[in-house]
Amino acid sequence: MTADTTGVQTETTSASETNTTTQTSSNFIKTIINEDLKNNKNGGRVQTRFPPEPNGYLHIGHAKSICLNFGLAKEYPGGKCNLRFDDTNPTKEDVEYVDSIQEDVRWLGFDWENRLYFASDYFEKLYGFAVELIKQGKAYVCSLTGDQVREHRGTLTQPGKDSPDRDRSIADNLDLFARMRAGEFADGTYTLRAKIDMSSPNINMRDPAVYRIRRFHHHRTGDAWCIYPMYDFAHCFSDMLEGITHSICTLEFEDHRPLYDWFLDQVKVPCHPQQIEFARLNLSYTMMSKRKLLELVKTQTVAGWDDPRMPTIAGMRRRGYMPESIRAFCEAIGVAKANSMVDMGLLESCVRDELNKHAQRIMAVVKPLKIVIENYPEGKVEEVDGINNPEDPTAGSRKIPFSREVYIDQDDFREVPPKGYYRLSPGKEIRLKFAYYITCQKVIKDEKTGEIIELRCTYDPASRGGTTADMRKVKGTSHWVSAQHAVEAEVRLYDHLFSTPNPAEAEDWKSILNPKSLEVIHNCKVEPGMRNAVAGTRVQFERTGYFCVDSDSKPGKPVFNRTVGLRDTWAKIEKFQKG
RNA sequence: UGGGACGUCGCCAAGUGGUAAGGCACCUGCCUUUGGAGCAGGUAUUCCCAGGUUCGAAUCCUGGCGUCCCAGCCA
């Protein structure tokens, strides 16, 4: 929810009193746009674009750009944001990616309406601009090989040398360029280059390539072209053709801005978009390079682009993240020009925050420990009322079966309780949430291994529902599942894919893969209502974490992905105690 | 030692000459049938460093230091 143009925040009518009106914070791009608006620079228009190359799945870094570009369009009256595929390199691109990208942008909650564009739609016009450049003597066909171009380019501290073809006649350039398009030359034999300045301190201005010959089937234009424009040339003209006012990109393109402006300055154009650069997102413990993510997929290090450990939008969706969480995260991190590394904890906090408001609570025991309640009648079954979501009264309640034998989590019992532990231990009383108080009477162990296999307890019949008339304090509360009613489930626990905070720095990412990034647990016990849970359903396992039903689930055999754990104060205390 | 950027609390980040927002994390209490959530409070005498201008500087000037990006016929 955004503030309206008068600056008055919209009142929420939501039943929960949570404040969902967020004052979107200021950033340098808004300052620029405000200034432009004040000066009526683009006739009061604000038009941005999100320009992905369809060569991989979108990741959380793209989400930052999507939220920025579409968010700006939403925030300014009449603002628009286009979705444009920057598909100028057919060797790396694929329709699988153009489809997934659209799905992901939509899922994130953004709409490009009828403004879906492809740079490849502009190939004919782009060719025309190139011809125009040649006619003005500002571009030439160069026959240098890749190695020779590199040698001629000079270095960071030394100027380059002119190509021997630099002064080719306009007529010859026109002829050669037409023949390049016609397919008369082999790949790599010629390029079209802009004639700028081989001694420029900005290497991008040293006669950059504009077109290269590449016989490769394009996912949209098929085999219509064998020459393809370079990014610098295609991007600025695409922006111009769409009437983009603010062309927002990442920091590494800062050096390209003079070139962006140069191209647009050479031809007569109706508008000249302004390129603005911001710092891309870096997230601790994750890798954002599309090349490396593709490698993870190809080597089957992960199960696919949508593996819940991947930083992709598809992965996060499968993991159980809500689009609202990702948007909140992108708002929280801000937009600036300083290179930075955002703590994964912030993302997780945004994920919990949203799920806390919406996820239904259920009883689920991930690592079961059996309890027999000796004074509870055999064969008796009661139904207790479970509150579905304490944060949302409208979510109501449900009936949960209770019986003589129940499972609790192994973590909720300690034979020798450490200091400060107030869960179950021999002789101690705790509450089984929504049900009864129980007291541990006996610990049964495997004679050979010494492993605790069962607990014998007694219950207080007067504590039904979880309170007693004497109002005695029972601090510990455990979740539980009735043994005879339990549904067996598979649970997948995820941890960081990488074991170091900045995987991008590693010389070999394979060496820093976290071997415990996925832990699969079978024979988990969940309450009967989850028997045929629909894939994509997000729930909270009481006291444990948020989980999402995975698409691998079968009827009667649900599979849950742990989206994120609950904040665990006790784990922190215990960790501190152990040093 | 070419060019382009950036340096404000542990991590992000506002601030644009008038006396350091906010979020995450952290620390106190309170509350609690989730050791969850919620509520209340606390945490930068100081903005990379050093000089200077000014009544007044994170903001302006000068000089340092540090970090990032650029030598694809990738985007």
Side-chain angles (χ1 to χ4, degrees), chain A residues 108-132:
Chain A
L108 277 173
F110 297 105
D111 184 10
W112 54 88
E113 298 172 314
N114 60 345
R115 296 180 310 280
L116 171 64
Y117 301 119
F118 292 83
S120 55
D121 289 344
Y122 309 138
F123 280 175
E124 195 59 54
K125 283 178 178 158
L126 259 14
Y127 181 84
F129 292 130
V131 168
E132 175 62 27

PDB file of all heavy atoms in Angstrom, chain A residues 108-132:
ATOM      1  N   LEU A 108       4.839 -11.727  -8.644  1.00  0.00           N
ATOM      2  CA  LEU A 108       5.291 -10.708  -7.698  1.00  0.00           C
ATOM      3  C   LEU A 108       4.256  -9.604  -7.532  1.00  0.00           C
ATOM      4  O   LEU A 108       4.347  -8.784  -6.621  1.00  0.00           O
ATOM      5  CB  LEU A 108       6.620 -10.094  -8.173  1.00  0.00           C
ATOM      6  CG  LEU A 108       7.884 -10.868  -7.823  1.00  0.00           C
ATOM      7  CD1 LEU A 108       9.096 -10.234  -8.494  1.00  0.00           C
ATOM      8  CD2 LEU A 108       8.094 -10.931  -6.309  1.00  0.00           C
ATOM      9  N   GLY A 109       3.279  -9.590  -8.415  1.00  0.00           N
ATOM     10  CA  GLY A 109       2.180  -8.641  -8.253  1.00  0.00           C
ATOM     11  C   GLY A 109       2.231  -7.439  -9.179  1.00  0.00           C
ATOM     12  O   GLY A 109       1.612  -6.414  -8.908  1.00  0.00           O
ATOM     13  N   PHE A 110       2.951  -7.549 -10.287  1.00  0.00           N
ATOM     14  CA  PHE A 110       3.063  -6.399 -11.183  1.00  0.00           C
ATOM     15  C   PHE A 110       2.443  -6.686 -12.547  1.00  0.00           C
ATOM     16  O   PHE A 110       2.335  -7.829 -12.975  1.00  0.00           O
ATOM     17  CB  PHE A 110       4.529  -5.985 -11.313  1.00  0.00           C
ATOM     18  CG  PHE A 110       5.104  -5.531 -10.000  1.00  0.00           C
ATOM     19  CD1 PHE A 110       5.972  -6.364  -9.283  1.00  0.00           C
ATOM     20  CD2 PHE A 110       4.750  -4.304  -9.439  1.00  0.00           C
ATOM     21  CE1 PHE A 110       6.479  -5.977  -8.057  1.00  0.00           C
ATOM     22  CE2 PHE A 110       5.256  -3.911  -8.204  1.00  0.00           C
ATOM     23  CZ  PHE A 110       6.121  -4.744  -7.513  1.00  0.00           C
ATOM     24  N   ASP A 111       2.043  -5.601 -13.207  1.00  0.00           N
ATOM     25  CA  ASP A 111       1.282  -5.713 -14.439  1.00  0.00           C
ATOM     26  C   ASP A 111       1.832  -4.745 -15.482  1.00  0.00           C
ATOM     27  O   ASP A 111       1.889  -3.542 -15.252  1.00  0.00           O
ATOM     28  CB  ASP A 111      -0.187  -5.370 -14.113  1.00  0.00           C
ATOM     29  CG  ASP A 111      -1.088  -5.553 -15.332  1.00  0.00           C
ATOM     30  OD1 ASP A 111      -0.623  -6.111 -16.348  1.00  0.00           O
ATOM     31  OD2 ASP A 111      -2.249  -5.125 -15.247  1.00  0.00           O
ATOM     32  N   TRP A 112       2.225  -5.292 -16.625  1.00  0.00           N
ATOM     33  CA  TRP A 112       2.745  -4.441 -17.703  1.00  0.00           C
ATOM     34  C   TRP A 112       1.639  -4.132 -18.709  1.00  0.00           C
ATOM     35  O   TRP A 112       1.882  -3.548 -19.751  1.00  0.00           O
ATOM     36  CB  TRP A 112       3.940  -5.121 -18.376  1.00  0.00           C
ATOM     37  CG  TRP A 112       3.638  -6.523 -18.852  1.00  0.00           C
ATOM     38  CD1 TRP A 112       3.118  -6.880 -20.063  1.00  0.00           C
ATOM     39  CD2 TRP A 112       3.812  -7.744 -18.130  1.00  0.00           C
ATOM     40  NE1 TRP A 112       2.956  -8.249 -20.128  1.00  0.00           N
ATOM     41  CE2 TRP A 112       3.374  -8.810 -18.963  1.00  0.00           C
ATOM     42  CE3 TRP A 112       4.308  -8.051 -16.847  1.00  0.00           C
ATOM     43  CZ2 TRP A 112       3.397 -10.152 -18.548  1.00  0.00           C
ATOM     44  CZ3 TRP A 112       4.329  -9.389 -16.446  1.00  0.00           C
ATOM     45  CH2 TRP A 112       3.876 -10.407 -17.289  1.00  0.00           C
ATOM     46  N   GLU A 113       0.407  -4.539 -18.352  1.00  0.00           N
ATOM     47  CA  GLU A 113      -0.759  -4.302 -19.210  1.00  0.00           C
ATOM     48  C   GLU A 113      -0.481  -4.764 -20.633  1.00  0.00           C
ATOM     49  O   GLU A 113      -0.158  -5.919 -20.834  1.00  0.00           O
ATOM     50  CB  GLU A 113      -1.155  -2.817 -19.128  1.00  0.00           C
ATOM     51  CG  GLU A 113      -1.557  -2.452 -17.692  1.00  0.00           C
ATOM     52  CD  GLU A 113      -1.770  -0.979 -17.464  1.00  0.00           C
ATOM     53  OE1 GLU A 113      -0.934  -0.160 -17.895  1.00  0.00           O
ATOM     54  OE2 GLU A 113      -2.802  -0.643 -16.831  1.00  0.00           O
ATOM     55  N   ASN A 114      -0.610  -3.858 -21.611  1.00  0.00           N
ATOM     56  CA  ASN A 114      -0.364  -4.283 -22.997  1.00  0.00           C
ATOM     57  C   ASN A 114       1.035  -3.916 -23.464  1.00  0.00           C
ATOM     58  O   ASN A 114       1.325  -3.897 -24.648  1.00  0.00           O
ATOM     59  CB  ASN A 114      -1.409  -3.648 -23.934  1.00  0.00           C
ATOM     60  CG  ASN A 114      -1.349  -2.131 -23.875  1.00  0.00           C
ATOM     61  OD1 ASN A 114      -0.734  -1.576 -22.956  1.00  0.00           O
ATOM     62  ND2 ASN A 114      -1.955  -1.463 -24.822  1.00  0.00           N
ATOM     63  N   ARG A 115       1.897  -3.620 -22.495  1.00  0.00           N
ATOM     64  CA  ARG A 115       3.235  -3.182 -22.887  1.00  0.00           C
ATOM     65  C   ARG A 115       4.287  -4.270 -22.714  1.00  0.00           C
ATOM     66  O   ARG A 115       5.201  -4.154 -21.905  1.00  0.00           O
ATOM     67  CB  ARG A 115       3.619  -1.915 -22.119  1.00  0.00           C
ATOM     68  CG  ARG A 115       2.710  -0.717 -22.445  1.00  0.00           C
ATOM     69  CD  ARG A 115       3.123   0.508 -21.652  1.00  0.00           C
ATOM     70  NE  ARG A 115       3.255   0.160 -20.238  1.00  0.00           N
ATOM     71  CZ  ARG A 115       2.228   0.049 -19.399  1.00  0.00           C
ATOM     72  NH1 ARG A 115       1.004   0.281 -19.811  1.00  0.00           N
ATOM     73  NH2 ARG A 115       2.427  -0.304 -18.155  1.00  0.00           N
ATOM     74  N   LEU A 116       4.104  -5.340 -23.474  1.00  0.00           N
ATOM     75  CA  LEU A 116       5.106  -6.413 -23.501  1.00  0.00           C
ATOM     76  C   LEU A 116       5.916  -6.230 -24.780  1.00  0.00           C
ATOM     77  O   LEU A 116       5.357  -6.276 -25.880  1.00  0.00           O
ATOM     78  CB  LEU A 116       4.409  -7.777 -23.510  1.00  0.00           C
ATOM     79  CG  LEU A 116       5.315  -8.992 -23.755  1.00  0.00           C
ATOM     80  CD1 LEU A 116       6.320  -9.146 -22.625  1.00  0.00           C
ATOM     81  CD2 LEU A 116       4.478 -10.261 -23.902  1.00  0.00           C
ATOM     82  N   TYR A 117       7.198  -5.977 -24.634  1.00  0.00           N
ATOM     83  CA  TYR A 117       8.025  -5.701 -25.811  1.00  0.00           C
ATOM     84  C   TYR A 117       9.257  -6.601 -25.861  1.00  0.00           C
ATOM     85  O   TYR A 117       9.658  -7.211 -24.871  1.00  0.00           O
ATOM     86  CB  TYR A 117       8.481  -4.239 -25.799  1.00  0.00           C
ATOM     87  CG  TYR A 117       7.339  -3.249 -25.800  1.00  0.00           C
ATOM     88  CD1 TYR A 117       7.164  -2.342 -24.752  1.00  0.00           C
ATOM     89  CD2 TYR A 117       6.418  -3.213 -26.853  1.00  0.00           C
ATOM     90  CE1 TYR A 117       6.112  -1.427 -24.762  1.00  0.00           C
ATOM     91  CE2 TYR A 117       5.367  -2.320 -26.868  1.00  0.00           C
ATOM     92  CZ  TYR A 117       5.219  -1.423 -25.822  1.00  0.00           C
ATOM     93  OH  TYR A 117       4.174  -0.536 -25.828  1.00  0.00           O
ATOM     94  N   PHE A 118       9.834  -6.658 -27.060  1.00  0.00           N
ATOM     95  CA  PHE A 118      11.061  -7.430 -27.275  1.00  0.00           C
ATOM     96  C   PHE A 118      12.005  -6.556 -28.090  1.00  0.00           C
ATOM     97  O   PHE A 118      11.584  -5.944 -29.073  1.00  0.00           O
ATOM     98  CB  PHE A 118      10.746  -8.702 -28.073  1.00  0.00           C
ATOM     99  CG  PHE A 118       9.917  -9.696 -27.308  1.00  0.00           C
ATOM    100  CD1 PHE A 118       8.536  -9.570 -27.248  1.00  0.00           C
ATOM    101  CD2 PHE A 118      10.518 -10.758 -26.648  1.00  0.00           C
ATOM    102  CE1 PHE A 118       7.770 -10.478 -26.537  1.00  0.00           C
ATOM    103  CE2 PHE A 118       9.751 -11.681 -25.941  1.00  0.00           C
ATOM    104  CZ  PHE A 118       8.374 -11.541 -25.882  1.00  0.00           C
ATOM    105  N   ALA A 119      13.236  -6.510 -27.685  1.00  0.00           N
ATOM    106  CA  ALA A 119      14.210  -5.751 -28.465  1.00  0.00           C
ATOM    107  C   ALA A 119      14.232  -6.306 -29.891  1.00  0.00           C
ATOM    108  O   ALA A 119      14.448  -5.568 -30.857  1.00  0.00           O
ATOM    109  CB  ALA A 119      15.589  -5.839 -27.823  1.00  0.00           C
ATOM    110  N   SER A 120      13.979  -7.607 -30.027  1.00  0.00           N
ATOM    111  CA  SER A 120      14.012  -8.215 -31.356  1.00  0.00           C
ATOM    112  C   SER A 120      12.917  -7.666 -32.275  1.00  0.00           C
ATOM    113  O   SER A 120      13.031  -7.744 -33.497  1.00  0.00           O
ATOM    114  CB  SER A 120      13.900  -9.743 -31.249  1.00  0.00           C
ATOM    115  OG  SER A 120      12.758 -10.110 -30.518  1.00  0.00           O
ATOM    116  N   ASP A 121      11.861  -7.111 -31.659  1.00  0.00           N
ATOM    117  CA  ASP A 121      10.831  -6.466 -32.480  1.00  0.00           C
ATOM    118  C   ASP A 121      11.369  -5.223 -33.172  1.00  0.00           C
ATOM    119  O   ASP A 121      10.778  -4.722 -34.124  1.00  0.00           O
ATOM    120  CB  ASP A 121       9.629  -6.049 -31.618  1.00  0.00           C
ATOM    121  CG  ASP A 121       8.825  -7.254 -31.151  1.00  0.00           C
ATOM    122  OD1 ASP A 121       9.003  -8.345 -31.734  1.00  0.00           O
ATOM    123  OD2 ASP A 121       8.033  -7.105 -30.211  1.00  0.00           O
ATOM    124  N   TYR A 122      12.469  -4.704 -32.638  1.00  0.00           N
ATOM    125  CA  TYR A 122      13.019  -3.461 -33.184  1.00  0.00           C
ATOM    126  C   TYR A 122      14.179  -3.694 -34.143  1.00  0.00           C
ATOM    127  O   TYR A 122      14.817  -2.740 -34.590  1.00  0.00           O
ATOM    128  CB  TYR A 122      13.512  -2.558 -32.036  1.00  0.00           C
ATOM    129  CG  TYR A 122      12.493  -2.330 -30.945  1.00  0.00           C
ATOM    130  CD1 TYR A 122      12.872  -2.366 -29.602  1.00  0.00           C
ATOM    131  CD2 TYR A 122      11.156  -2.075 -31.251  1.00  0.00           C
ATOM    132  CE1 TYR A 122      11.951  -2.152 -28.589  1.00  0.00           C
ATOM    133  CE2 TYR A 122      10.218  -1.863 -30.236  1.00  0.00           C
ATOM    134  CZ  TYR A 122      10.621  -1.903 -28.918  1.00  0.00           C
ATOM    135  OH  TYR A 122       9.710  -1.708 -27.912  1.00  0.00           O
ATOM    136  N   PHE A 123      14.482  -4.946 -34.457  1.00  0.00           N
ATOM    137  CA  PHE A 123      15.657  -5.239 -35.281  1.00  0.00           C
ATOM    138  C   PHE A 123      15.702  -4.432 -36.586  1.00  0.00           C
ATOM    139  O   PHE A 123      16.759  -3.925 -36.965  1.00  0.00           O
ATOM    140  CB  PHE A 123      15.743  -6.739 -35.581  1.00  0.00           C
ATOM    141  CG  PHE A 123      16.319  -7.559 -34.451  1.00  0.00           C
ATOM    142  CD1 PHE A 123      16.369  -8.954 -34.535  1.00  0.00           C
ATOM    143  CD2 PHE A 123      16.827  -6.944 -33.303  1.00  0.00           C
ATOM    144  CE1 PHE A 123      16.902  -9.712 -33.495  1.00  0.00           C
ATOM    145  CE2 PHE A 123      17.360  -7.702 -32.264  1.00  0.00           C
ATOM    146  CZ  PHE A 123      17.396  -9.093 -32.362  1.00  0.00           C
ATOM    147  N   GLU A 124      14.554  -4.315 -37.263  1.00  0.00           N
ATOM    148  CA  GLU A 124      14.546  -3.588 -38.536  1.00  0.00           C
ATOM    149  C   GLU A 124      14.871  -2.103 -38.303  1.00  0.00           C
ATOM    150  O   GLU A 124      15.673  -1.511 -39.025  1.00  0.00           O
ATOM    151  CB  GLU A 124      13.184  -3.751 -39.215  1.00  0.00           C
ATOM    152  CG  GLU A 124      13.175  -3.356 -40.680  1.00  0.00           C
ATOM    153  CD  GLU A 124      14.170  -4.169 -41.514  1.00  0.00           C
ATOM    154  OE1 GLU A 124      14.119  -5.415 -41.483  1.00  0.00           O
ATOM    155  OE2 GLU A 124      15.025  -3.545 -42.192  1.00  0.00           O
ATOM    156  N   LYS A 125      14.238  -1.534 -37.303  1.00  0.00           N
ATOM    157  CA  LYS A 125      14.503  -0.119 -36.994  1.00  0.00           C
ATOM    158  C   LYS A 125      15.941   0.088 -36.550  1.00  0.00           C
ATOM    159  O   LYS A 125      16.597   1.058 -36.929  1.00  0.00           O
ATOM    160  CB  LYS A 125      13.561   0.372 -35.887  1.00  0.00           C
ATOM    161  CG  LYS A 125      12.159   0.644 -36.389  1.00  0.00           C
ATOM    162  CD  LYS A 125      11.244   1.071 -35.263  1.00  0.00           C
ATOM    163  CE  LYS A 125       9.852   1.387 -35.818  1.00  0.00           C
ATOM    164  NZ  LYS A 125       8.808   1.302 -34.795  1.00  0.00           N
ATOM    165  N   LEU A 126      16.420  -0.838 -35.755  1.00  0.00           N
ATOM    166  CA  LEU A 126      17.791  -0.752 -35.260  1.00  0.00           C
ATOM    167  C   LEU A 126      18.771  -0.787 -36.442  1.00  0.00           C
ATOM    168  O   LEU A 126      19.750  -0.029 -36.482  1.00  0.00           O
ATOM    169  CB  LEU A 126      18.065  -1.930 -34.310  1.00  0.00           C
ATOM    170  CG  LEU A 126      18.040  -1.737 -32.790  1.00  0.00           C
ATOM    171  CD1 LEU A 126      17.427  -0.441 -32.317  1.00  0.00           C
ATOM    172  CD2 LEU A 126      17.388  -2.914 -32.092  1.00  0.00           C
ATOM    173  N   TYR A 127      18.458  -1.650 -37.377  1.00  0.00           N
ATOM    174  CA  TYR A 127      19.305  -1.739 -38.577  1.00  0.00           C
ATOM    175  C   TYR A 127      19.334  -0.391 -39.288  1.00  0.00           C
ATOM    176  O   TYR A 127      20.391   0.082 -39.724  1.00  0.00           O
ATOM    177  CB  TYR A 127      18.750  -2.834 -39.506  1.00  0.00           C
ATOM    178  CG  TYR A 127      19.558  -3.023 -40.757  1.00  0.00           C
ATOM    179  CD1 TYR A 127      20.693  -3.831 -40.773  1.00  0.00           C
ATOM    180  CD2 TYR A 127      19.195  -2.371 -41.953  1.00  0.00           C
ATOM    181  CE1 TYR A 127      21.443  -3.994 -41.924  1.00  0.00           C
ATOM    182  CE2 TYR A 127      19.942  -2.524 -43.105  1.00  0.00           C
ATOM    183  CZ  TYR A 127      21.067  -3.340 -43.086  1.00  0.00           C
ATOM    184  OH  TYR A 127      21.815  -3.488 -44.232  1.00  0.00           O
ATOM    185  N   GLY A 128      18.162   0.228 -39.346  1.00  0.00           N
ATOM    186  CA  GLY A 128      18.053   1.543 -39.972  1.00  0.00           C
ATOM    187  C   GLY A 128      18.912   2.593 -39.269  1.00  0.00           C
ATOM    188  O   GLY A 128      19.560   3.413 -39.925  1.00  0.00           O
ATOM    189  N   PHE A 129      18.936   2.557 -37.953  1.00  0.00           N
ATOM    190  CA  PHE A 129      19.759   3.521 -37.209  1.00  0.00           C
ATOM    191  C   PHE A 129      21.243   3.280 -37.506  1.00  0.00           C
ATOM    192  O   PHE A 129      22.040   4.222 -37.587  1.00  0.00           O
ATOM    193  CB  PHE A 129      19.516   3.415 -35.700  1.00  0.00           C
ATOM    194  CG  PHE A 129      18.143   3.870 -35.277  1.00  0.00           C
ATOM    195  CD1 PHE A 129      17.345   3.077 -34.460  1.00  0.00           C
ATOM    196  CD2 PHE A 129      17.638   5.109 -35.691  1.00  0.00           C
ATOM    197  CE1 PHE A 129      16.078   3.493 -34.072  1.00  0.00           C
ATOM    198  CE2 PHE A 129      16.373   5.529 -35.306  1.00  0.00           C
ATOM    199  CZ  PHE A 129      15.581   4.714 -34.487  1.00  0.00           C
ATOM    200  N   ALA A 130      21.586   2.013 -37.663  1.00  0.00           N
ATOM    201  CA  ALA A 130      22.984   1.686 -37.958  1.00  0.00           C
ATOM    202  C   ALA A 130      23.363   2.236 -39.327  1.00  0.00           C
ATOM    203  O   ALA A 130      24.447   2.810 -39.505  1.00  0.00           O
ATOM    204  CB  ALA A 130      23.183   0.173 -37.909  1.00  0.00           C
ATOM    205  N   VAL A 131      22.467   2.084 -40.294  1.00  0.00           N
ATOM    206  CA  VAL A 131      22.716   2.607 -41.634  1.00  0.00           C
ATOM    207  C   VAL A 131      22.886   4.123 -41.558  1.00  0.00           C
ATOM    208  O   VAL A 131      23.776   4.705 -42.183  1.00  0.00           O
ATOM    209  CB  VAL A 131      21.562   2.218 -42.585  1.00  0.00           C
ATOM    210  CG1 VAL A 131      21.663   2.996 -43.912  1.00  0.00           C
ATOM    211  CG2 VAL A 131      21.572   0.711 -42.838  1.00  0.00           C
ATOM    212  N   GLU A 132      22.037   4.745 -40.761  1.00  0.00           N
ATOM    213  CA  GLU A 132      22.104   6.198 -40.583  1.00  0.00           C
ATOM    214  C   GLU A 132      23.480   6.621 -40.041  1.00  0.00           C
ATOM    215  O   GLU A 132      24.087   7.590 -40.493  1.00  0.00           O
ATOM    216  CB  GLU A 132      20.979   6.625 -39.622  1.00  0.00           C
ATOM    217  CG  GLU A 132      20.970   8.090 -39.232  1.00  0.00           C
ATOM    218  CD  GLU A 132      20.764   9.042 -40.418  1.00  0.00           C
ATOM    219  OE1 GLU A 132      20.142   8.603 -41.408  1.00  0.00           O
ATOM    220  OE2 GLU A 132      21.262  10.183 -40.350  1.00  0.00           O
TER     221      GLU A 132
END
